[in-house]
Amino acid sequence: MTNQGIGQPVRRKEDFRFITGQGHYTDDINRPGQLYAYFLRSPHAFAKIKSISTDAARKMPGVVAIYTGKDVAADKVGGLICGWTVKDKKGEPHKAPRHDIIAIDHVRHVGDQVAVVIGRSLGEARDAAEAIEVDYDVLTPVVDVVNALKPGAPEVHADAPGNLCYDWDFGDKAATEAAFAKAAHVTKIDLVNNRLSPNPMEPRSAIGEYEPGTDNTTVYTTSQNPHVIRLILCAFVFGLPEHKVRVIAPDVGGGFGSKIFNYAEETVCVWAARKLKKPVKWTSDRTEAFLTDAHGRDHVTHAELAMDKDGKFLGFRVDTKANMGAYLSTFASAVPTYLYALLLAGQYTTPAIYAEVKAVFTNTTPVDAYRGAGRPEATYVVERIVEAAARELKMDPAELRRRNFVPDNAFPYQTPVACVYDSGQYAKALDEALKMADYNGFKQRKAEAAKKGKLRGIGLCAYIEACGIAPSAVVGSLGAGVGLWESAQIRFNATGSVFVHTGSHSHGQGHETTFAQIVSDRLGVPLESVEVVHGDTALVPMGMGTYGSRSLAVGGSAIMRAADKIIDKGKKIAAHLMEASVDDVAYDKGVFSVKGTDKQVPMAQIAFTAYVPHNYPADLEPGLEASAFYDPANFTFPAGVHVAEVEIDSATGVTRVANWVAVDDFGKVINPMIVEGQVHGGIAQGIGQALLEGVVYDPKSGQLLTASFNDYCMPRADDLPSYKVGMIETPCPHNPLGVKGCGEAGAIAAPAALMNAITDALGTEKINMPATPQNVWNVIQSQNLAAAAE
Amino acid sequence: MYAFNYHRPKSLADAAKLLGDASDGKFIAGGQTLLPTLKNRLASPSDLVDLTGIAELSGISVSGGIVSIGAITKHGAVATSADIRKAIPALANLAGLIGDPAVRNMGTMGGSVANNDPAADYPSAVLGLNATMHTTKRKIAADSFFTGLFETALEESEIITRIEFPVPKRAGYEKFRNPASRYAMVGVFVAETADGVRVAVTGAGPCVFRHKEMEAALSKSFSPDALKGIRTDPARMNNDIHGSGEYRAHLVGVVAKRAVQNALG
């Protein structure tokens, strides 16, 4: 058992079914009498719907129903909501224009829902959709934040003048201005954080089902947080009681944030199923995924860093314009505000920080949380400008960072942007990373590369993130519409095996293994006797789901709390069996004993006795199960240092990632193999953002030019190096496991590290992500670097 | 996709007749371009006539300085053929660079050449090696086969049966991939043949083309350095989000040098 507990690289329990093709995803589910939904989508980025004629389409074979936005409105279905209200500089709530599940009078991005055909087969529904005639009055779209904010720009919503969702600020403006006034040096930078498409392997899918006999509604959907979807559908969209709606999110093939949100399609499936009293299924195809899955990032930022003569940071100011897309998605408003500006201190003691953020509507797919959600954008700004500052000051970038790190003895550390960092060893991570990267040998490697006509560069990123989202009272005070606790239930069976019900949701993270390790370790049960249950509101009492690297820090802590309750009850049963006082019973690794004696009872016997209570304490309930909720006291603050090294072919502009070192501090690690896998995946996504990926809209027509993998470049294995991953453990002091979270770190750290390496190689800061061969070559041409290398 | 009638004839005569009888028929071989097109409902043929059951379209042979490859030979078979690898290693290497293993085990040489995708690899080898297309009606020389974007000299219902490649003195292929699709953004096939040096460029323009200036330079001296200073007109290049005309024109020069280097081994 010792090789299965906390800290052990146990192989993932769930992988057998995934690797052998026996995972059970939403699209694998088919219900008796099921109908199929096909959405007719807008071919235009912006248009007024003059009329929709469905007469011909209704006569097509296999058509059961065709609905437009007017039918939805007639049923008084609520629109999709934004669950976090951000207040602007004046204290006014953000603009959240109506987001109908099927467009009524306007379409606002390519792919917006115009009508839905419910058919007996998908093919028939699709055929009928092609027979629907829509008369559009095509309007001029606007797709980027800079143009959307210009006077006279087309307005995406009549009730959001100037396309402004909010104009928000955070931090101490006066103190920051004072810091700049006394600065010896100011570094300025302009950055674009490119828009990304999430592209989970499994496209979204949903089935709505209604049983008239019981009045129960069941929703199968690809969700990271089934209870949240239930809450939104019941309380905001349909006005249904929560106990009559069951949401099931079975195996889910990746989410990266995009499956947090409540989407139009699943909502339409539920609505149509209740109307038709038949199950209605929809599964996204890949093109629909590009058009409708919430995108990530898309910031345009100007930042300035004030320093004294020794490079000590005095003040930092940031001006960001964030693209919200055509509508406000479920948590979109929080991403460029509370998940962004609060991280602008980075790992540094910068005393004064001020950020202004304008959130802007455009005729594009809505933007919301994507792996890291705001924190990668913050790290990108901080770490690009710190590296640029070091170059301007002709100082070693590592030394400049070291000089400004929050020192080890300063924790808990209050930043000027609200966060209280819990624990960390920033200089230790840097030292370790530099050693692993052979930082001192770089000059020689650069010289050798130059001999081959290659431009070699090295870049650092000292990132920080806020995970373990989140203390409910704190987020509530900032505008969140929900609490961000987590719940768990542990239930023993009479024969000693255990169910663990968690409100977290695993869609690739390996919870079935990690959570089982915690329970195995704490309760002394073999790993194979622990079944982790998640993803079904009928099986799991409550939950808030998985995002923001919260599952272990919050969900795992709830499991620990429940385990403690099991142990407490077990002690009472053990005391009875051993004829001792409860106070004299000790517990360790699955064994109850009487202190100072050799009397002991194993957990399995306690469980059996609890369900076969023939010899049992008179005042104790039978059974061995416990529920617990955990609301974190603070965020957790994982941090670390990544070092990227690149070699650029000056003839073609191709960047090869030559070396990658990651030293991360995630606090206590439960399963180092799973954690390393998360780091690898995160770095791959970060390298994808920096080198390859980018959503491109045609600026005139608003058409999505990257609507397939032929044009949207996902990272492939041969784009990526082998990573050298190191860990240091500074336990989180405020949760029972000492854990911080690891799911997003790679995606947060990698873009800045890589772009710092590329800008080092090119000798200019003026290149935006993705640094495609063409973009790099253009810089090489403008810098005349090719001639220099030849 | 839309509904269609599917046929799998055993002979070329039956194939031609089936296509002629169809209201809007199409031949299909490996289907690696056509099937995705159908799935996206971008084409709606009434009939698909599958050529992969016709025995005389298969087979690889090398004799008398000619490599003859049946039209339904899969890319994977070309890549791994010991005979081709010995006679024209550059052709086998090129085939091994097409798509991914799934595509190479379905896609066919005849299908690729007949489709003439501007970013496909094979057209550059066909043109660079001065190959001859044998069809159900005639022989067509490479120089008159590729006529434009997705256009060839093939007539309606005319089927490529095999392609004959003269074995060159030496040849090399270099491919600069579109980072997203991994098709050729620029591919250059260079061959020193009995009739002189030929340089065929794919991916860069709307249709594979011969680079006459490069051919002239390499005829004088078959070395990468001979290509120094030769410019390609950006106006003749494709221009998209992955590569401007200027970038592609520049890459033609870089990739051609590397192709020559490959030919030199």
Side-chain angles (χ1 to χ4, degrees), chain A residues 526-729:
Chain A
L527 195 69
E528 58 272 20
S529 297
V530 182
E531 182 78 3
V532 174
V533 178
H534 65 93
D536 184 342
T537 62
L539 295 177
V540 178
M542 276 295 163
M544 288 308 297
T546 287
Y547 36 83
S549 305
R550 70 189 302 270
S551 298
L552 190 56
V554 190
S557 294
I559 292 171
M560 285 294 278
R561 285 269 176 89
D564 288 345
K565 291 184 184 179
I566 293 280
I567 292 165
D568 284 348
K569 183 164 183 180
K571 280 184 179 171
K572 292 176 187 163
I573 301 170
H576 180 84
L577 292 177
M578 296 187 288
E579 297 174 338
S581 153
V582 174
D583 294 340
D584 290 337
V585 174
Y587 172 80
D588 185 43
K589 295 195 189 316
V591 177
F592 296 89
S593 58
V594 180
K595 291 170 195 166
T597 74
D598 58 0
K599 283 187 187 175
Q600 57 181 46
V601 185
M603 182 63 87
Q605 191 182 337
I606 297 295
F608 181 81
T609 306
Y611 290 100
V612 188
H614 297 167
N615 176 18
Y616 202 72
D619 54 350
L620 199 62
E621 289 176 14
L624 191 59
E625 64 171 31
S627 290
F629 282 70
Y630 181 79
D631 200 331
N634 188 2
F635 290 84
T636 62
F637 293 93
V641 172
H642 286 219
V643 183
E645 205 165 318
V646 299
E647 207 163 271
I648 295 172
D649 180 346
S650 55
T652 59
V654 170
T655 300
R656 184 178 69 88
V657 183
N659 195 22
W660 200 283
V661 168
V663 175
D664 297 294
D665 184 353
F666 300 132
K668 188 83 185 151
V669 169
I670 307 298
N671 184 322
M673 184 178 67
I674 289 178
V675 168
E676 189 167 340
Q678 287 274 12
V679 171
H680 283 209
I683 297 171
Q685 267 174 298
I687 291 176
Q689 167 162 29
L691 278 189
L692 308 163
E693 300 183 45
V695 171
V696 181
Y697 285 95
D698 183 274
K700 285 208 175 76
S701 68
Q703 292 295 322
L704 179 60
L705 300 180
T706 49
S708 81
F709 289 124
N710 265 338
D711 289 304
Y712 188 89
C713 187
M714 288 291 280
R716 292 166 167 92
D718 65 350
D719 292 315
L720 305 169
S722 288
Y723 313 115
K724 300 185 183 84
V725 177
M727 307 252 173
I728 56 177
E729 279 194 13

Side-chain angles (χ1 to χ4, degrees), chain A residues 122-124 126-127 130 285 287 454 649-654 692 696 705-706 709-714 716 718-719 772-774 777-778 781 790, chain B residues 1-3 38-42 176-183 185 228 239-251 254-255 257-258:
Chain A
L122 181 60
E124 287 169 317
R126 194 171 175 180
D127 288 343
E130 289 176 7
D285 66 26
T287 306
K454 300 280 167 68
D649 180 346
S650 55
T652 59
V654 170
L692 308 163
V696 181
L705 300 180
T706 49
F709 289 124
N710 265 338
D711 289 304
Y712 188 89
C713 187
M714 288 291 280
R716 292 166 167 92
D718 65 350
D719 292 315
T772 60
Q774 170 172 244
W777 181 77
N778 285 337
Q781 291 311 105
E790 263 182 18
Chain B
M1 59 179 70
Y2 298 104
L38 296 177
K39 283 183 181 174
N40 281 319
R41 294 193 160 195
L42 297 171
F176 187 91
R177 295 171 183 273
N178 175 313
S181 71
R182 300 267 171 125
Y183 273 91
M185 191 139 92
K228 254 194 177 166
N239 183 358
D240 57 31
I241 59 171
H242 306 286
S244 64
E246 287 76 16
Y247 182 51
R248 279 188 163 88
H250 164 78
L251 283 179
V254 176
V255 173
K257 282 182 205 165
R258 292 178 185 181

